[in-house]
Amino acid sequence: MRCLPDPQLQKLLDDDTGGGDLTTHALGIGAQRGRLRFQSRQLMTVCCTEEAVRLFELAGARATLLAPSGTSVIAGAPLLDAVGDAASLHRGWKTAQILVEWASGIASAASAIVAAANGVAVACTRKNVPGTKALSTKAVRAGGATMHRLGLSETLLVFAEHRLFLHEEPAATVARLKRAEPEKKVVVEVANLDEARLWMAAGADVLQLEKFSPEQIAACRLASADFSGVLLAAAGGIHAGNAADYVAAGADLLVTSAPYTAPPRDVQVTFGSAA
Amino acid sequence: MRCLPDPQLQKLLDDDTGGGDLTTHALGIGAQRGRLRFQSRQLMTVCCTEEAVRLFELAGARATLLAPSGTSVIAGAPLLDAVGDAASLHRGWKTAQILVEWASGIASAASAIVAAANGVAVACTRKNVPGTKALSTKAVRAGGATMHRLGLSETLLVFAEHRLFLHEEPAATVARLKRAEPEKKVVVEVANLDEARLWMAAGADVLQLEKFSPEQIAACRLASADFSGVLLAAAGGIHAGNAADYVAAGADLLVTSAPYTAPPRDVQVTFGSAA
Amino acid sequence: MRCLPDPQLQKLLDDDTGGGDLTTHALGIGAQRGRLRFQSRQLMTVCCTEEAVRLFELAGARATLLAPSGTSVIAGAPLLDAVGDAASLHRGWKTAQILVEWASGIASAASAIVAAANGVAVACTRKNVPGTKALSTKAVRAGGATMHRLGLSETLLVFAEHRLFLHEEPAATVARLKRAEPEKKVVVEVANLDEARLWMAAGADVLQLEKFSPEQIAACRLASADFSGVLLAAAGGIHAGNAADYVAAGADLLVTSAPYTAPPRDVQVTFGSAA
Amino acid sequence: MRCLPDPQLQKLLDDDTGGGDLTTHALGIGAQRGRLRFQSRQLMTVCCTEEAVRLFELAGARATLLAPSGTSVIAGAPLLDAVGDAASLHRGWKTAQILVEWASGIASAASAIVAAANGVAVACTRKNVPGTKALSTKAVRAGGATMHRLGLSETLLVFAEHRLFLHEEPAATVARLKRAEPEKKVVVEVANLDEARLWMAAGADVLQLEKFSPEQIAACRLASADFSGVLLAAAGGIHAGNAADYVAAGADLLVTSAPYTAPPRDVQVTFGSAA
Amino acid sequence: MRCLPDPQLQKLLDDDTGGGDLTTHALGIGAQRGRLRFQSRQLMTVCCTEEAVRLFELAGARATLLAPSGTSVIAGAPLLDAVGDAASLHRGWKTAQILVEWASGIASAASAIVAAANGVAVACTRKNVPGTKALSTKAVRAGGATMHRLGLSETLLVFAEHRLFLHEEPAATVARLKRAEPEKKVVVEVANLDEARLWMAAGADVLQLEKFSPEQIAACRLASADFSGVLLAAAGGIHAGNAADYVAAGADLLVTSAPYTAPPRDVQVTFGSAA
Amino acid sequence: MRCLPDPQLQKLLDDDTGGGDLTTHALGIGAQRGRLRFQSRQLMTVCCTEEAVRLFELAGARATLLAPSGTSVIAGAPLLDAVGDAASLHRGWKTAQILVEWASGIASAASAIVAAANGVAVACTRKNVPGTKALSTKAVRAGGATMHRLGLSETLLVFAEHRLFLHEEPAATVARLKRAEPEKKVVVEVANLDEARLWMAAGADVLQLEKFSPEQIAACRLASADFSGVLLAAAGGIHAGNAADYVAAGADLLVTSAPYTAPPRDVQVTFGSAA
């Protein structure tokens, strides 16, 4: 399933080639028939090949999906084929390639954390690159992770920056939230073990433990024994290299922004003239 | 000058908080007055603070620009202030912070390459994160670099993938392009020294030397002595760490994608209640 | 706070008067100065006066907000004033009036149910009139109610239509959902008491009781005694007239679509020529 | 014929399920094949089934139109079928259902007034729910009625609020309008019989009789005998229950907003797994 | 009053200078302060100076309106002033100038026909340049003419291409239209005097006489004596040079597309550096 | 290849017939089947028939392209066929016809200049009708000409209005630009022979000779002998009638706005009922 409808894909294309590829046009080669193939250059979890296929179609070519989003491939795996005139292929080429490389970078990074988490849920934050929420969400899911929250409007997450405006006991705050939004869990971000204990006692459903070390997580896990049902979400600085430690320390959920800064995965594009 | 007009900024905001911050609303604190400040947590070339100011305005707050895009600051420097009700501040907060952090990451990385290039022009490619061309272009310029090409429609850059469709001598190709587009330079991407010699001889204005080592650049520079006026653009794998070597080897221009994968620069956000 | 940014308000205006008011133009009265006032004709919870003010501004007039969204007023209360030339006033008039009348209809209906629910939360469904989500959400909140869910992408609500594709015990389903999305509550829609018991036993956090009578709610409440913490949301056919019965029967939340079909509240518009 | 092009339909879908149905995703059932059918639960004039078909296609399913807009059906009639994977069906389901229910409510209400009017034209006002003009217009026509005016920019309708700015005899006003816009009829809204007589004498082509009772209409009809060709449009408070009375009283046209507040017609949606 | 809201004006600007003026940027002069003035180079009816002012504002400058749309000016008249930094002035300059030149060309041409028509209404067709309806409508009105019809959806104009699908007497057609749309005039396009007589007899309200000479108009006028109230609209090939002849021949309305192909009026732009 | 994607074509259609053709609807002929053909009425270089085909499809008909953009045809040549119901054909008719007529006018005018230029490149300016850049660019290219510059953001063109802000020798300016943007040519607009000599000496790559007569061009050509490689672009007042003179005088490039004010080429539309 594509995550971007035609108008947004067209926008990506137009931002790059609103007036077509001038080089192709000036060379007078636009009407010749050609073909191209995308292949992985390295191990990757593929993402946005569906969008890439559609980009070539919008550019005037025909394209075939060879590896859908979410597929794990080794180097050399075919991802998509396109055929059409040279004007269309050159128009769609880089926009499609850059999209797949970037999205597969996120998906592969997410996938690596998921593998390390060994069954504990991995949720990515909303700190995606500005303007890329739909694509980033698709890539996160292609990698087997979930979204921490899509935005501010459907979940309850109490930051210290909210509490600055509160003048009541934590238990009163939690009780008010549960009454106002009975269908949502009350998540509270805390900065240390004392705060964690305070909000567990107040009845929070989930604690988001910001920049806790695995040792601090373990201490918090221990403390939570007195408060049945509270979940611990570890957040801040988590990546594939330390995810297992956080899981071992007792986290119920890993919250991470790491995939958004992952380097793109390389895609090789090979052109041919159509015989 | 802002690079994104209101509708696109509004879209960024709506993608995150279309229905407002539910936590603020459910807590009933939205009407209380507050203020916040953005400060750098580290050395950075600032970018997109103008857009951040406008995001807070669109969210319903008032904001003041303290460090315009392109400013170099040390850790602790104030970037912007905002005042307003808690609903507005919480609505604009993260969208604005993430934007400044990401754009300042690009600008700072571009700035580092520019510093290393010692007066030779640095141009960033069109391999920005999909959908971020306007913001990326602003960040590149904030860092003192220029854009290699905004898109395909206004410049001539002959790739091997174009030449596949040509059946003529290179000199004929260059002559045709110069006749068709007398106001543009003819840029040709080449993969090795032999190709470089071939296209210099054919009359290309600029050679884009793809993944040449500094040594290969130097050899090409030497070869170019016979062809007055040809410019050498080094491209592929260039970053702040090796830029000086490429310049020393004789490149007239450095073409790089490195800033687009730079990590975000940290911005500290401090809330206060408004007395 | 406005819930619609300028481009959408402009669209509302253009849909009605893209080329201006032909009658005003043909009469040649467009440049004369005038003023107008909006007043309630009946008891109402006001909504979208902020948007109405902005519509007049976009139409070329100046306007003053006299009763913000969420205010309860009696008949005759002033809601907004506008001054400007006749072309602008006639251009903005009906679009603004119809918006306030419609939105205040929803807000007033929501407010009546909230009053009847006596402290139990009232949530409105996503069955708003197609294309009006942002405005409808604002009206629901202006009336003191909350949104059941803004959309499908951030909450878990298991319908029978999902269960058709499941081949496992309910407890397994609930356990999988809790592991995959630890920050969300598991809500399950059930059609009768037997289903309710089944999913309480399975560990659901919230049961959405579809078209249960108050008596059936009461029976379900009784049954829930064995399952600590489960919440009961009554849904289907709830309105201001029966909300108290559902609350008395033990519902923890009332879910309703009734406000979306509420009749508009009447707004009186009085023009004057500006002395 | 669809009245909403793809981008607007996509917007409806994205407003509800921008990130897909989380429940389907978390349950892991998205790839299973299924089918569903829409059927009327009651007598109705169907509307927007073409848009519903397209919504399912945009959501990734295939759909078949079984009852086009404008069809009158009894309870149990099939309206559309859709087949596809569970992710697509769940994504499109409610958006499509709510659209057909709402639009068929308007169409059915309009149709009832048309039936009562016995051949006299029925025109619906521009008081549709804000933001729904295209859909509302389609529904009005599906019900056999016409639009009073699509907006302010192409017709002449002189309100008292225009006349406030005029300082001349009615005959002079009408003459000026006829000279300025010879291709349009001059329609004048009047509030009582005296005003009606005044503007008939002045030469108006059509009188819009605002909130006249059938008796007052009849009186006006009588008075109109002296003014050949003037048409009488009854407006304000007209519905299926009193339309015949207005026709009997001599109205040439019925102008009504009643269909816009008609309750939705119920559509039953039945899912099946695809064998 | 502006006829284009900000997003469309921004689009005009971005189409020309999405990334700013590269020349200004590369020269490093962007931050210097400057000013500019628009003046007419010839007699003209000014149009779109309001939009031009806003274009400069969107580009980052401040601007002052000196001659509103609809003003008749001689050569040398000041139209607008702008002040700001060089980057903003260069960004807005040509987009604003070309808009005023083009729109004033239409307005001036319309104005010339209106002057020649000596009080008879002049209506411009919908044959404006594709995509310019709002701007063209403004220019037509600035010149004192009106719009024949804004589109197909609010007026009745029966072409021969409609009649191809009819199999009934003209009188029956007219009667049906009057019953279906009592608030609209029935306009019929005819190609010769025989057709004109036929449709007058049938009861048409207005005849659109397509490509009639003044002599044929006069003959038609004579024939119309038997049919009280029918209006004659002359259409096709009408311009300022022959408009008086058509009026003298008895036309009640002149319908023309001529202004849309009028040459732009010249605007002189003078820059200065700000002291 | 189409130059406008669906949403923009839909916008063109909606601007004209958002609610469909009222005449067709009121006549009740919408469901009858028909066909139509577009044919040239005169010699022309065809443009935008691809867009016209798509407009008919968006209007609900099927259409066949008979003469692609860029084809030179004599009077009577078939351009496209469409079949469908009368509602769809009438909806698409005029929008499609006006588009082809207007775009073919530009293409034909550009083609005439290209023919006269006898192999010297012809470039059209950015002075297209506001809002028509994509369509105008397509038409320019269909006529065999190229675009001078798509916008301000990718080329260097130094106007006197830039030089006002410079305080250095021309050679310094040129050197700075070449260093900052090594991949772009430095184009300088000059107003007379003295300025031309000055900037040739300074090292400009291209001189844009504004409103030079052919004689002045010839003098400049002569002067350029001392400055190897400088190109001369003649601009201002060039049309098909004088293009050969400019070429004979030694211009390397002709820059013109003339095609944008060319009269539309006539297209005949013939309807038939479908047997």
Side-chain angles (χ1 to χ4, degrees), chain F residues 9-259:
Chain F
L9 290 173
Q10 186 72 49
K11 178 78 166 56
L12 284 183
L13 212 53
D14 286 352
D15 276 357
D16 195 40
T17 64
D21 178 26
L22 181 65
T23 309
T24 297
H25 184 80
L27 287 170
I29 58 175
Q32 291 186 48
R33 305 289 298 174
R35 54 186 164 69
L36 62 75
R37 168 164 283 193
F38 278 26
Q39 282 172 286
S40 58
R41 273 189 203 272
Q42 58 191 131
L43 199 77
M44 65 170 69
T45 298
V46 176
C47 192
C48 286
T49 36
E50 295 82 4
E51 282 76 13
V53 161
R54 186 62 183 153
L55 283 168
F56 278 111
E57 291 171 355
L58 291 172
R62 282 186 306 116
T64 311
L65 179 69
L66 301 177
S69 291
T71 313
S72 288
V73 299
I74 56 171
L79 305 181
L80 75 75
D81 280 344
V83 295
D85 59 39
S88 300
L89 294 176
H90 272 285
R91 190 171 190 178
W93 168 22
K94 287 280 185 183
T95 302
Q97 179 185 0
I98 292 167
L99 175 59
V100 174
E101 291 184 333
W102 168 77
S104 300
I106 296 176
S108 301
S111 177
I113 305 176
V114 167
N118 196 25
V120 164
V122 174
C124 291
T125 70
R126 48 194 249 271
K127 290 197 176 184
N128 54 273
V129 169
T132 69
K133 178 160 303 206
L135 291 168
S136 294
T137 299
K138 176 169 182 166
V140 162
R141 289 188 174 155
T146 189
M147 291 299 288
H148 179 44
R149 52 199 315 218
L150 287 176
L152 299 178
S153 303
E154 285 232 47
T155 69
L156 296 174
L157 172 44
V158 184
F159 289 112
E161 285 82 356
H162 289 107
R163 302 196 293 264
L164 185 71
F165 297 99
L166 293 173
H167 310 284
E168 66 189 350
E169 290 303 302
T173 298
V174 172
R176 286 199 303 124
L177 287 174
K178 289 187 173 180
R179 206 158 49 232
E181 293 287 345
E183 297 187 290
K184 315 287 184 192
K185 287 197 174 173
V186 176
V187 187
V188 180
E189 189 186 76
V190 296
N192 53 50
L193 190 54
D194 285 349
E195 282 189 13
R197 279 205 190 91
L198 185 70
W199 287 95
M200 283 190 222
D205 295 310
V206 183
L207 292 188
Q208 181 162 308
L209 309 169
E210 182 64 10
K211 294 188 185 152
F212 278 44
S213 65
E215 294 67 33
Q216 291 169 310
I217 299 279
C220 194
R221 180 81 286 168
L222 202 63
S224 75
D226 301 338
F227 305 98
S228 99
V230 70
L231 295 177
L232 301 184
I238 293 173
H239 49 74
N242 62 13
D245 298 339
Y246 280 95
V247 169
D252 298 301
L253 173 69
L254 306 185
V255 178
T256 179
S257 304

Side-chain angles (χ1 to χ4, degrees), chain C residues 8-85:
Chain C
Q8 279 100 308
L9 289 174
Q10 186 70 50
K11 177 77 167 56
L12 283 184
L13 212 54
D14 286 350
D15 277 356
D16 196 40
T17 65
D21 178 25
L22 182 65
T23 309
T24 298
H25 184 79
L27 287 169
I29 59 175
Q32 291 186 48
R33 305 288 298 173
R35 54 184 165 72
L36 62 77
R37 167 163 285 195
F38 279 24
Q39 283 171 284
S40 58
R41 274 190 201 273
Q42 57 191 131
L43 198 79
M44 63 171 70
T45 299
V46 176
C47 191
C48 287
T49 36
E50 295 83 2
E51 282 76 13
V53 162
R54 186 61 182 154
L55 283 168
F56 278 110
E57 291 171 355
L58 291 172
R62 282 187 306 115
T64 310
L65 179 69
L66 302 177
S69 291
T71 313
S72 287
V73 299
I74 57 170
L79 305 180
L80 74 77
D81 279 345
V83 296
D85 59 39

Side-chain angles (χ1 to χ4, degrees), chain D residues 253-274:
Chain D
L253 174 69
L254 305 185
V255 179
T256 179
S257 304
Y260 301 133
T261 52
R265 306 303 274 184
D266 285 348
V267 169
Q268 177 166 30
V269 180
T270 314
F271 271 70
S273 63

Side-chain angles (χ1 to χ4, degrees), chain C residues 132-152:
Chain C
T132 69
K133 178 160 302 207
L135 291 167
S136 294
T137 299
K138 176 169 183 168
V140 162
R141 289 188 175 155
T146 189
M147 291 297 289
H148 177 43
R149 53 200 313 218
L150 287 175
L152 299 178

Side-chain angles (χ1 to χ4, degrees), chain C:
Chain C
M1 188 68 199
R2 280 196 284 134
C3 73
L4 283 195
D6 281 6
Q8 279 100 308
L9 289 174
Q10 186 70 50
K11 177 77 167 56
L12 283 184
L13 212 54
D14 286 350
D15 277 356
D16 196 40
T17 65
D21 178 25
L22 182 65
T23 309
T24 298
H25 184 79
L27 287 169
I29 59 175
Q32 291 186 48
R33 305 288 298 173
R35 54 184 165 72
L36 62 77
R37 167 163 285 195
F38 279 24
Q39 283 171 284
S40 58
R41 274 190 201 273
Q42 57 191 131
L43 198 79
M44 63 171 70
T45 299
V46 176
C47 191
C48 287
T49 36
E50 295 83 2
E51 282 76 13
V53 162
R54 186 61 182 154
L55 283 168
F56 278 110
E57 291 171 355
L58 291 172
R62 282 187 306 115
T64 310
L65 179 69
L66 302 177
S69 291
T71 313
S72 287
V73 299
I74 57 170
L79 305 180
L80 74 77
D81 279 345
V83 296
D85 59 39
S88 300
L89 294 176
H90 272 285
R91 191 172 189 177
W93 168 21
K94 287 278 184 183
T95 301
Q97 179 184 1
I98 293 167
L99 175 58
V100 174
E101 291 183 333
W102 168 78
S104 301
I106 296 177
S108 301
S111 176
I113 305 176
V114 168
N118 196 25
V120 165
V122 174
C124 290
T125 70
R126 49 194 248 270
K127 290 198 176 184
N128 55 272
V129 169
T132 69
K133 178 160 302 207
L135 291 167
S136 294
T137 299
K138 176 169 183 168
V140 162
R141 289 188 175 155
T146 189
M147 291 297 289
H148 177 43
R149 53 200 313 218
L150 287 175
L152 299 178
S153 303
E154 286 231 48
T155 67
L156 295 175
L157 172 44
V158 184
F159 289 113
E161 287 81 357
H162 289 107
R163 303 196 292 265
L164 184 72
F165 297 99
L166 292 173
H167 311 284
E168 64 188 352
E169 290 301 303
T173 298
V174 172
R176 287 199 301 127
L177 287 175
K178 288 187 172 178
R179 206 158 49 232
E181 294 287 344
E183 296 187 289
K184 315 287 183 192
K185 286 198 176 173
V186 177
V187 186
V188 181
E189 188 187 76
V190 296
N192 53 52
L193 189 54
D194 284 348
E195 282 188 12
R197 279 205 190 93
L198 186 70
W199 287 94
M200 283 190 221
D205 294 310
V206 183
L207 293 189
Q208 180 162 310
L209 309 168
E210 182 65 12
K211 295 187 184 153
F212 277 43
S213 65
E215 293 70 32
Q216 292 169 310
I217 299 279
C220 194
R221 181 81 284 166
L222 202 65
S224 74
D226 301 337
F227 306 98
S228 99
V230 69
L231 296 176
L232 301 184
I238 293 173
H239 49 74
N242 62 14
D245 298 338
Y246 280 94
V247 168
D252 297 300
L253 173 69
L254 306 185
V255 178
T256 177
S257 305
Y260 300 133
T261 52
R265 307 301 276 184
D266 285 348
V267 169
Q268 177 165 31
V269 180
T270 314
F271 271 71
S273 62

